[in-house]
Amino acid sequence: MAYTAPVRDMTFLLREVLDYPRYGNLPGFSDAPIDLVEQILEEGAKFTAGVLHPLNTVGDREGCRRHDDGSVTTPTGFKDAYRQMCEGGWTALGADPAYGGQGLPHVLNLAFNEMVSSANMAFGMYPGLSHGAYSAIHIGGSDEQKQTYLPRMVTGEWTGTMNLTEPHCGTDLGLLRTKAVPQADGSYRITGQKIWISAGEHDMADNIIHLVLARIEGAPAGVKGISLFIVPKFLVNPDGSLGARNSLQCAGLEHKMGIHGNATCVMAYDDATGYLVGEANKGLATMFVMMNEARLGVGIQGLAQSEIAYQNAAAFAKDRLQSRSITGAKRPDLPADPVIVHPDVRRMLMEARSFNEGARAFAFWTALWGDLLHKSPDEAVRQKAGDYMGLLTPVIKAYLTDRGFANVSNALQVFGGSGFTEHWPMSQFMRDCRITLIYEGTNGIQALDLVGRKLASNGGRAIFSFFAEVDEFIAAHETDADLKPFVEGLRTAKGRLQQATMWLMQNGMSNFDNAGASSHDYLHLFGLTACAYMWALMAQAAQAKVRAGDADPFYVNKIRTGEFFLARVLPDTAAHLEKVQTGAAPVMALAEVDF
Amino acid sequence: MAYTAPVRDMTFLLREVLDYPRYGNLPGFSDAPIDLVEQILEEGAKFTAGVLHPLNTVGDREGCRRHDDGSVTTPTGFKDAYRQMCEGGWTALGADPAYGGQGLPHVLNLAFNEMVSSANMAFGMYPGLSHGAYSAIHIGGSDEQKQTYLPRMVTGEWTGTMNLTEPHCGTDLGLLRTKAVPQADGSYRITGQKIWISAGEHDMADNIIHLVLARIEGAPAGVKGISLFIVPKFLVNPDGSLGARNSLQCAGLEHKMGIHGNATCVMAYDDATGYLVGEANKGLATMFVMMNEARLGVGIQGLAQSEIAYQNAAAFAKDRLQSRSITGAKRPDLPADPVIVHPDVRRMLMEARSFNEGARAFAFWTALWGDLLHKSPDEAVRQKAGDYMGLLTPVIKAYLTDRGFANVSNALQVFGGSGFTEHWPMSQFMRDCRITLIYEGTNGIQALDLVGRKLASNGGRAIFSFFAEVDEFIAAHETDADLKPFVEGLRTAKGRLQQATMWLMQNGMSNFDNAGASSHDYLHLFGLTACAYMWALMAQAAQAKVRAGDADPFYVNKIRTGEFFLARVLPDTAAHLEKVQTGAAPVMALAEVDF
């Protein structure tokens, strides 16, 4: 069980595919020229592989323990690893310099997050959720709230959580019941029960800043009456020191299939002191800005689990001797050939590999748009970036986790019976990865968000902008003989996505169920097309190196892996298009009672 | 958490689709007219839902415990449930009357096995493995061996196991090292270590009859030197009473992702007394006959887990209130609509349902051929039956488990966050189901068996026979307006399977890696085509009822579910064909060292 962070692939993307240096004039980027980025990634690789990864199995086996007083102990080593993470400045990487952050580009933070999520996904959720809470306060909080909470969340001394779900409401937050009663001093008393609160209680930080959705007494019903509150575990004195223990506690830990190392808490708020973030009844808006960021992070978790599962499966396949190649012994010196000689084992490895590299490019490319959204001086660029972030976030969240999980399952399969035992790490990867399809909005919700909201927004501006960009690339490269299969694959995929989009525009409005019934396949068709575009960009960069005589096998392997994607993955676009176009009728034909 | 055995669907298949009564003149069938079969299935439904299913969670949570003396305690209630199973005669259902069995048709036994595997898969493996060992002795043993062991295996007083795998050899049995030393009395001394031995030790039966593959001293290397031995836990005296404890023991239990209720043992044989089954060095042949039977059983496990996961997901989707239908509130009397109103939830349910019903038909249809193989007086029928069993067994094993697992994962997804907790049963279904893709030959091995052995066997007689049967059906029904979409769907799928078959015949022989690289997609294309055929048969039967004025919604729902399969599942055949035809090049392009 080992993990090697894909730094080579990451720097290839930044340096050669996405031309990171051209953004050197933007804030944050100017502080992190590409050479420094490489150094940071190398350091991140050492930290995640050396400190976090050895604790992955420990976390799975030990899990978290809740004590009678409501306190929670994390697995052996987590506390110390978290301390090292803070000391290394990793929690501050992408945070605002105004509050002690390093203000580095989002894309760099995302790269580091991939490493963390590969090395130890359950651990990564503590700083991950904390960053979400940081973002919510950063977006919606008052100056005083920011000054009070952000600096110590940036150093990692305090962590944060997001409290949305209640037993009767997960996706449908309009149903939530946790109530907030205004106090004379401007604060609120928060009472209610929240469930599935990741990192809700633990022993790694001095304070935990809970962000809690609640309904102020007398607020409208439904989503229009939801407000967001800061509810710290320990109240903070005016001088910044910790004050009284707030009346909230972890009432229980969830027993889960995976991510055992993360404390998934039932949180009980009993007249706890809370502070309104932003305006009353506007809590969801802030939460959703934060949530979009979190959704990208979950997509990265899907990729990250696929990456480490692939690495382990490839190592096992080169080591495990079993049967001879069907084309004749490849290692007659050994009692049997390593199983990597078998084409169906290769198929599973190549599916994972071609996904990992394409999905990583897709995520990096999108993250760069996220940086441009906040940092570009050009309004047109910022608008396009905003359009893209809206359009692509649900695709990244759902496509990367659906396919990531499928790859983890295939990687387990490479191990044969060993994969099913807990002696090897594959079971944990699969059990951990399974949550990524669910949390931060199930993948079905992502697909509905894509077809129901993001596609139609601003008259389809975002998707047409994406099509125009792809068309431009195709037009610019269609005579490049070296790129021909990539351009043709992209053209076919994009054509199918366009057909599906037209179908949705014509049929999804007249009957919303048509949109809902095709949303899953449409999202996958989108993910495949986006990855086909990424593969074309990567092949272009790699071909340039090969043509220039660069002998590094990295480049030829990159092209070959892309060719696998074209031949063996992209054909799924045809099936997805056909399914999109069936509409809702076959899906909705049965009466509820007949299920 | 509940389970209702699909007796209605089973009797529909037997009575109306497969015309079971027409086989009434065959042995076994004559003892079980269709009315009796229905009664047996109803009793089986009661037993599995009432006795086995309540122990499913217990088995998962408690697991098995090994004690210092090597004995193993099964989960609370398993021993008593097994006693009830024996007393009910269920272990004797399909067994030979010459040894106390009931000799009922294989298809009936398979139907009962589906129920057992849905209700409690880990439990079902104890009698399941025992039946495998019974079959091996029945096929390969001497009369004396049969008289000694079979009657008490049929009553269930004794159970059996299959010992193939060793730490360094799973798929590649040619590597096995367990040795057998001939003794003067004709017995052998068996020494070696076997791993992953399901039901290898437990507390439910008086004796355990291990069937062990071993190499007689001086035997040829590789698969040509493997012999099969009976190695009982307790030696059996000439009068049938139990004698000395044999020198074998359970040296450890495997810690697994799922099927915790089943004891997966490391078995240590230390000069244990064993008895040769059949001829020396011919052990694999007997083992493979038994294994083909076991492979069908594993396919059924995949279906069974998909069925119970579907049932639970459907119940949850009707109960869980969350958000409003996108076409307007369906239950304005409630705070939100049940999630079954959402098209993407329906999609997941319908995918599972259309698979379950199609796969069940496929398995029943195949099992009937299995009966005909042994019981038909017509040699041509027996030949066709043998061809079909060979051809279809790997398809049933791999297609039903690959898709079954995907459905279980989707059913878990219907639960949202609840599905990821161990409070609900979905996690167990998924963890249990995952092994079915691996054991009794990984699904990759099944695919290779299909394209490398079964297709080519007898000049392709089996596959051409299948094509001819499908063509005949299409020709007979192409003018039936009611069946038109089913006939057209079948024609398209079969056409693609035929193209893929031609491609394989032309390219798989010149380069075996072409066959290996396309085997997975070819197998899935086959599974889809077989299910399309089944759906056409089922639609035909259901249409006949509807036309005759039968108002039972079962029939209309059957047709609608089939239409979903045509519209939303069958399009995958296009992608599979395209992938088959790419050949090995993109799959094998990278050097081993570059993974």
PDB file of all heavy atoms in Angstrom, chain A residues 93-113:
ATOM      1  N   LEU A  93      -3.153  27.697   2.485  1.00  0.00           N
ATOM      2  CA  LEU A  93      -2.695  27.765   1.094  1.00  0.00           C
ATOM      3  C   LEU A  93      -3.529  28.695   0.218  1.00  0.00           C
ATOM      4  O   LEU A  93      -3.014  29.637  -0.388  1.00  0.00           O
ATOM      5  CB  LEU A  93      -2.704  26.345   0.502  1.00  0.00           C
ATOM      6  CG  LEU A  93      -1.723  26.066  -0.627  1.00  0.00           C
ATOM      7  CD1 LEU A  93      -0.295  26.208  -0.155  1.00  0.00           C
ATOM      8  CD2 LEU A  93      -1.957  24.642  -1.156  1.00  0.00           C
ATOM      9  N   GLY A  94      -4.839  28.404   0.163  1.00  0.00           N
ATOM     10  CA  GLY A  94      -5.675  29.184  -0.754  1.00  0.00           C
ATOM     11  C   GLY A  94      -6.442  30.307  -0.060  1.00  0.00           C
ATOM     12  O   GLY A  94      -7.310  30.923  -0.659  1.00  0.00           O
ATOM     13  N   ALA A  95      -6.134  30.544   1.220  1.00  0.00           N
ATOM     14  CA  ALA A  95      -6.942  31.494   1.987  1.00  0.00           C
ATOM     15  C   ALA A  95      -6.482  32.938   1.765  1.00  0.00           C
ATOM     16  O   ALA A  95      -5.355  33.200   1.333  1.00  0.00           O
ATOM     17  CB  ALA A  95      -6.885  31.139   3.472  1.00  0.00           C
ATOM     18  N   ASP A  96      -7.388  33.827   2.098  1.00  0.00           N
ATOM     19  CA  ASP A  96      -7.211  35.272   1.869  1.00  0.00           C
ATOM     20  C   ASP A  96      -6.073  35.833   2.726  1.00  0.00           C
ATOM     21  O   ASP A  96      -6.072  35.684   3.953  1.00  0.00           O
ATOM     22  CB  ASP A  96      -8.533  35.956   2.252  1.00  0.00           C
ATOM     23  CG  ASP A  96      -8.558  37.430   1.895  1.00  0.00           C
ATOM     24  OD1 ASP A  96      -7.482  38.008   1.639  1.00  0.00           O
ATOM     25  OD2 ASP A  96      -9.669  38.000   1.896  1.00  0.00           O
ATOM     26  N   PRO A  97      -5.097  36.505   2.098  1.00  0.00           N
ATOM     27  CA  PRO A  97      -3.987  37.091   2.863  1.00  0.00           C
ATOM     28  C   PRO A  97      -4.459  38.086   3.920  1.00  0.00           C
ATOM     29  O   PRO A  97      -3.774  38.281   4.928  1.00  0.00           O
ATOM     30  CB  PRO A  97      -3.154  37.809   1.790  1.00  0.00           C
ATOM     31  CG  PRO A  97      -3.486  37.098   0.516  1.00  0.00           C
ATOM     32  CD  PRO A  97      -4.912  36.665   0.649  1.00  0.00           C
ATOM     33  N   ALA A  98      -5.635  38.683   3.714  1.00  0.00           N
ATOM     34  CA  ALA A  98      -6.157  39.619   4.713  1.00  0.00           C
ATOM     35  C   ALA A  98      -6.379  38.938   6.061  1.00  0.00           C
ATOM     36  O   ALA A  98      -6.436  39.596   7.107  1.00  0.00           O
ATOM     37  CB  ALA A  98      -7.464  40.237   4.217  1.00  0.00           C
ATOM     38  N   TYR A  99      -6.514  37.627   6.038  1.00  0.00           N
ATOM     39  CA  TYR A  99      -6.738  36.892   7.294  1.00  0.00           C
ATOM     40  C   TYR A  99      -5.623  35.877   7.545  1.00  0.00           C
ATOM     41  O   TYR A  99      -5.825  34.860   8.203  1.00  0.00           O
ATOM     42  CB  TYR A  99      -8.109  36.213   7.262  1.00  0.00           C
ATOM     43  CG  TYR A  99      -9.194  37.223   6.975  1.00  0.00           C
ATOM     44  CD1 TYR A  99      -9.730  37.344   5.695  1.00  0.00           C
ATOM     45  CD2 TYR A  99      -9.630  38.102   7.969  1.00  0.00           C
ATOM     46  CE1 TYR A  99     -10.684  38.309   5.411  1.00  0.00           C
ATOM     47  CE2 TYR A  99     -10.575  39.072   7.704  1.00  0.00           C
ATOM     48  CZ  TYR A  99     -11.101  39.174   6.419  1.00  0.00           C
ATOM     49  OH  TYR A  99     -12.030  40.143   6.148  1.00  0.00           O
ATOM     50  N   GLY A 100      -4.477  36.160   6.968  1.00  0.00           N
ATOM     51  CA  GLY A 100      -3.332  35.300   7.236  1.00  0.00           C
ATOM     52  C   GLY A 100      -3.123  34.199   6.222  1.00  0.00           C
ATOM     53  O   GLY A 100      -2.231  33.374   6.370  1.00  0.00           O
ATOM     54  N   GLY A 101      -3.947  34.183   5.186  1.00  0.00           N
ATOM     55  CA  GLY A 101      -3.799  33.145   4.164  1.00  0.00           C
ATOM     56  C   GLY A 101      -2.672  33.459   3.206  1.00  0.00           C
ATOM     57  O   GLY A 101      -2.111  34.564   3.220  1.00  0.00           O
ATOM     58  N   GLN A 102      -2.331  32.453   2.405  1.00  0.00           N
ATOM     59  CA  GLN A 102      -1.259  32.649   1.435  1.00  0.00           C
ATOM     60  C   GLN A 102      -1.790  33.144   0.096  1.00  0.00           C
ATOM     61  O   GLN A 102      -1.006  33.551  -0.765  1.00  0.00           O
ATOM     62  CB  GLN A 102      -0.486  31.346   1.244  1.00  0.00           C
ATOM     63  CG  GLN A 102       0.150  30.862   2.547  1.00  0.00           C
ATOM     64  CD  GLN A 102       0.880  29.532   2.354  1.00  0.00           C
ATOM     65  OE1 GLN A 102       1.379  29.243   1.278  1.00  0.00           O
ATOM     66  NE2 GLN A 102       0.913  28.735   3.398  1.00  0.00           N
ATOM     67  N   GLY A 103      -3.091  33.065  -0.098  1.00  0.00           N
ATOM     68  CA  GLY A 103      -3.696  33.636  -1.296  1.00  0.00           C
ATOM     69  C   GLY A 103      -3.233  33.031  -2.606  1.00  0.00           C
ATOM     70  O   GLY A 103      -3.277  33.671  -3.647  1.00  0.00           O
ATOM     71  N   LEU A 104      -2.782  31.784  -2.540  1.00  0.00           N
ATOM     72  CA  LEU A 104      -2.287  31.165  -3.777  1.00  0.00           C
ATOM     73  C   LEU A 104      -3.468  30.741  -4.663  1.00  0.00           C
ATOM     74  O   LEU A 104      -4.596  30.622  -4.198  1.00  0.00           O
ATOM     75  CB  LEU A 104      -1.382  29.981  -3.426  1.00  0.00           C
ATOM     76  CG  LEU A 104      -0.120  30.394  -2.651  1.00  0.00           C
ATOM     77  CD1 LEU A 104       0.746  29.183  -2.349  1.00  0.00           C
ATOM     78  CD2 LEU A 104       0.680  31.429  -3.444  1.00  0.00           C
ATOM     79  N   PRO A 105      -3.193  30.516  -5.924  1.00  0.00           N
ATOM     80  CA  PRO A 105      -4.291  30.194  -6.844  1.00  0.00           C
ATOM     81  C   PRO A 105      -5.089  28.962  -6.396  1.00  0.00           C
ATOM     82  O   PRO A 105      -4.543  28.016  -5.831  1.00  0.00           O
ATOM     83  CB  PRO A 105      -3.570  29.929  -8.171  1.00  0.00           C
ATOM     84  CG  PRO A 105      -2.319  30.729  -8.088  1.00  0.00           C
ATOM     85  CD  PRO A 105      -1.919  30.671  -6.633  1.00  0.00           C
ATOM     86  N   HIS A 106      -6.378  29.019  -6.702  1.00  0.00           N
ATOM     87  CA  HIS A 106      -7.282  27.930  -6.374  1.00  0.00           C
ATOM     88  C   HIS A 106      -6.821  26.616  -6.994  1.00  0.00           C
ATOM     89  O   HIS A 106      -6.936  25.549  -6.390  1.00  0.00           O
ATOM     90  CB  HIS A 106      -8.683  28.300  -6.877  1.00  0.00           C
ATOM     91  CG  HIS A 106      -9.705  27.270  -6.572  1.00  0.00           C
ATOM     92  ND1 HIS A 106      -9.965  26.831  -5.289  1.00  0.00           N
ATOM     93  CD2 HIS A 106     -10.530  26.568  -7.377  1.00  0.00           C
ATOM     94  CE1 HIS A 106     -10.908  25.912  -5.324  1.00  0.00           C
ATOM     95  NE2 HIS A 106     -11.267  25.728  -6.570  1.00  0.00           N
ATOM     96  N   VAL A 107      -6.276  26.697  -8.197  1.00  0.00           N
ATOM     97  CA  VAL A 107      -5.875  25.476  -8.889  1.00  0.00           C
ATOM     98  C   VAL A 107      -4.777  24.741  -8.121  1.00  0.00           C
ATOM     99  O   VAL A 107      -4.709  23.509  -8.120  1.00  0.00           O
ATOM    100  CB  VAL A 107      -5.442  25.794 -10.350  1.00  0.00           C
ATOM    101  CG1 VAL A 107      -4.170  26.627 -10.396  1.00  0.00           C
ATOM    102  CG2 VAL A 107      -5.290  24.523 -11.167  1.00  0.00           C
ATOM    103  N   LEU A 108      -3.956  25.487  -7.432  1.00  0.00           N
ATOM    104  CA  LEU A 108      -2.887  24.868  -6.652  1.00  0.00           C
ATOM    105  C   LEU A 108      -3.464  24.193  -5.407  1.00  0.00           C
ATOM    106  O   LEU A 108      -3.078  23.073  -5.034  1.00  0.00           O
ATOM    107  CB  LEU A 108      -1.869  25.950  -6.259  1.00  0.00           C
ATOM    108  CG  LEU A 108      -0.689  25.531  -5.397  1.00  0.00           C
ATOM    109  CD1 LEU A 108       0.084  24.388  -6.035  1.00  0.00           C
ATOM    110  CD2 LEU A 108       0.239  26.730  -5.175  1.00  0.00           C
ATOM    111  N   ASN A 109      -4.409  24.873  -4.797  1.00  0.00           N
ATOM    112  CA  ASN A 109      -5.087  24.294  -3.644  1.00  0.00           C
ATOM    113  C   ASN A 109      -5.803  23.000  -4.031  1.00  0.00           C
ATOM    114  O   ASN A 109      -5.777  22.002  -3.305  1.00  0.00           O
ATOM    115  CB  ASN A 109      -6.114  25.315  -3.119  1.00  0.00           C
ATOM    116  CG  ASN A 109      -6.456  25.076  -1.669  1.00  0.00           C
ATOM    117  OD1 ASN A 109      -5.604  24.657  -0.891  1.00  0.00           O
ATOM    118  ND2 ASN A 109      -7.704  25.324  -1.312  1.00  0.00           N
ATOM    119  N   LEU A 110      -6.399  23.028  -5.205  1.00  0.00           N
ATOM    120  CA  LEU A 110      -7.118  21.849  -5.685  1.00  0.00           C
ATOM    121  C   LEU A 110      -6.161  20.681  -5.932  1.00  0.00           C
ATOM    122  O   LEU A 110      -6.457  19.526  -5.620  1.00  0.00           O
ATOM    123  CB  LEU A 110      -7.871  22.232  -6.960  1.00  0.00           C
ATOM    124  CG  LEU A 110      -8.673  21.149  -7.647  1.00  0.00           C
ATOM    125  CD1 LEU A 110     -10.091  21.649  -7.909  1.00  0.00           C
ATOM    126  CD2 LEU A 110      -8.010  20.768  -8.957  1.00  0.00           C
ATOM    127  N   ALA A 111      -4.995  20.983  -6.473  1.00  0.00           N
ATOM    128  CA  ALA A 111      -3.999  19.940  -6.690  1.00  0.00           C
ATOM    129  C   ALA A 111      -3.588  19.311  -5.362  1.00  0.00           C
ATOM    130  O   ALA A 111      -3.493  18.086  -5.228  1.00  0.00           O
ATOM    131  CB  ALA A 111      -2.778  20.517  -7.412  1.00  0.00           C
ATOM    132  N   PHE A 112      -3.360  20.176  -4.372  1.00  0.00           N
ATOM    133  CA  PHE A 112      -3.003  19.659  -3.050  1.00  0.00           C
ATOM    134  C   PHE A 112      -4.160  18.835  -2.468  1.00  0.00           C
ATOM    135  O   PHE A 112      -3.944  17.769  -1.882  1.00  0.00           O
ATOM    136  CB  PHE A 112      -2.641  20.809  -2.111  1.00  0.00           C
ATOM    137  CG  PHE A 112      -2.313  20.363  -0.720  1.00  0.00           C
ATOM    138  CD1 PHE A 112      -1.182  19.589  -0.472  1.00  0.00           C
ATOM    139  CD2 PHE A 112      -3.144  20.689   0.345  1.00  0.00           C
ATOM    140  CE1 PHE A 112      -0.885  19.158   0.826  1.00  0.00           C
ATOM    141  CE2 PHE A 112      -2.848  20.266   1.633  1.00  0.00           C
ATOM    142  CZ  PHE A 112      -1.714  19.496   1.878  1.00  0.00           C
ATOM    143  N   ASN A 113      -5.371  19.306  -2.674  1.00  0.00           N
ATOM    144  CA  ASN A 113      -6.532  18.551  -2.176  1.00  0.00           C
ATOM    145  C   ASN A 113      -6.641  17.176  -2.806  1.00  0.00           C
ATOM    146  O   ASN A 113      -7.077  16.226  -2.167  1.00  0.00           O
ATOM    147  CB  ASN A 113      -7.830  19.320  -2.432  1.00  0.00           C
ATOM    148  CG  ASN A 113      -8.032  20.416  -1.413  1.00  0.00           C
ATOM    149  OD1 ASN A 113      -7.374  20.424  -0.376  1.00  0.00           O
ATOM    150  ND2 ASN A 113      -8.928  21.354  -1.714  1.00  0.00           N
TER     151      ASN A 113
END
